[in-house]
Amino acid sequence: MPNVQRVSVIGAGTMGAGIAQVFAQSGIDVTLIDVSEEVLDRGFAGIEKSLSRLVKKEKMTEEGKSTAMARIKKAGNASDAAGSDLVVEAINENAELKKKVWREVAAVVSDDTILASNTSSISITELAAVVPGPNRYIGMHFMNPVPIMKLVEVIRGLTTDDATTEATLDLCKKLGKIPVEVNDYPGFVANRILMPMINEAAYCLIEGVATKDGIDDVMKLGMAHPMGPLALADLIGVDICLNIMEVLHRDLGDSKYRPCPLLKKMVAAGHLGRKSGRGFYEYGE
């Protein structure tokens, strides 16, 4: 396995930008790739804002911020991942789109480049099957917000080898993260447990068991959760929650994973949470 000195992150949304920031802060050069120049610019602005908050809190110097930003460069095509020791994909939760990207990446990187997906629910084994050398393919599921949350689920697919797994676990530690190795099952651990809770909270809301504030307060005050499940759904993205529930329902075949109709209605209405300004709650600019 290569000594990771250069990383490419594909997808400059909230997760991709956060992942790029963490690598840059750890002294690793990053190419942040997105087909949308607007998304790239927004991702860069988000990284700069995040680092500025660290400076304001005196957790980083202005020089440290400038050095970290200088380690990140923008690019617009998957082919720009050439020369990377590690490629992390953090695009939309769409299996076919991910496979298309991975075919493009595999055509330009070396045979020993580690290939990692930040997918929150799609099978690592399925994605690995489209690249040569699926033994070097693995899941790195970072949590949102990436610069703050310590956990990384490291998902081992059916074909992932020991060397790739160990190299990925070691890298997570160098990033200041706490990796937890899990196997490739729908939703892995985090979302197999979390998403049904959010889904059930949505059912409680439409059945009139309690108000949205009441549901969230019960979980915060009674279960010591830092955030209620409905507020958390807004942070994650209601569309992402629905997508993951659909994957769980389809792949595990159990009716207990049936997505709440309210999630479907909200997505259809464009009420996606914080990113759209409205979800279970409303958000200002």
Side-chain angles (χ1 to χ4, degrees):
M1 289 290 105
N3 179 26
V4 176
Q5 296 296 321
R6 185 189 164 197
V7 171
S8 287
V9 178
I10 301 179
T14 301
M15 294 303 293
I19 293 166
Q21 176 184 329
V22 166
F23 277 111
Q25 282 183 248
S26 299
I28 296 172
D29 292 332
V30 184
T31 302
L32 184 58
I33 302 170
D34 203 294
V35 293
S36 168
E37 188 173 348
E38 180 184 351
V39 173
L40 264 177
D41 290 342
R42 191 162 59 239
F44 255 64
I47 294 170
E48 186 166 15
K49 186 176 180 180
S50 177
L51 293 174
S52 293
R53 282 197 294 267
L54 293 177
V55 173
K56 188 175 182 180
K57 293 178 181 178
E58 298 184 344
K59 294 183 178 180
M60 174 181 275
T61 63
E62 279 288 353
E63 183 181 1
K65 172 190 167 183
S66 298
T67 300
M69 289 299 298
R71 291 194 182 107
I72 309 171
K73 72 174 186 178
K74 302 177 187 177
N77 299 289
S79 60
D80 292 306
S84 298
D85 303 309
L86 166 71
V87 179
V88 181
E89 167 268 308
I91 65 173
N92 292 338
E93 284 293 276
N94 180 303
E96 294 310 310
L97 183 58
K98 288 179 186 289
K99 289 175 184 177
K100 178 179 181 293
V101 167
W102 280 118
R103 290 187 185 99
E104 293 172 0
V105 169
V108 299
V109 299
S110 68
D111 292 340
D112 62 351
T113 299
I114 299 173
L115 308 177
S117 178
N118 182 58
T119 180
S120 53
S121 61
I122 297 170
S123 168
I124 295 301
T125 303
E126 178 184 348
L127 296 175
V130 305
V131 302
N135 58 293
R136 40 87 180 250
Y137 197 98
I138 198 162
M140 290 181 77
H141 181 205
F142 291 83
M143 304 293 126
N144 185 27
V146 179
I148 296 172
M149 301 296 280
K150 289 291 187 182
L151 174 67
V152 179
E153 270 189 311
V154 175
I155 304 110
R156 182 169 184 152
L158 186 64
T159 54
T160 310
D161 63 22
D162 291 341
T164 300
T165 303
E166 289 304 316
T168 305
L169 292 169
D170 288 345
L171 178 59
C172 289
K173 293 171 185 174
K174 290 177 183 176
L175 298 176
K177 302 299 184 184
I178 300 173
V180 176
E181 182 180 346
V182 304
N183 288 316
D184 188 19
Y185 284 85
F188 317 128
V189 171
N191 283 324
R192 185 166 175 176
I193 294 171
L194 174 63
M195 289 302 158
M197 181 186 73
I198 289 174
N199 198 52
E200 199 62 32
Y203 271 116
C204 285
L205 183 61
I206 63 169
E207 291 170 7
V209 179
T211 64
K212 60 180 181 289
D213 290 314
I215 292 165
D216 279 355
D217 283 347
V218 165
M219 298 308 292
K220 287 189 295 182
L221 303 176
M223 313 303 164
H225 290 195
M227 181 181 294
L230 300 178
L232 181 56
D234 281 354
L235 177 63
I236 294 168
V238 179
D239 53 334
I240 294 173
C241 295
L242 173 60
N243 182 271
I244 295 170
M245 285 307 302
E246 289 172 337
V247 169
L248 291 172
H249 191 218
R250 182 192 71 223
D251 292 355
L252 293 170
D254 194 318
S255 61
K256 70 181 179 181
Y257 299 112
R258 181 172 65 93
C260 178
L262 179 57
L263 298 180
K264 295 183 179 181
K265 286 183 180 181
M266 291 175 66
V267 171
H271 299 171
L272 309 182
R274 289 177 180 265
K275 61 188 174 185
S276 69
R278 181 175 179 182
F280 289 100
Y281 298 88
E282 293 189 17
Y283 303 89
E285 289 296 327

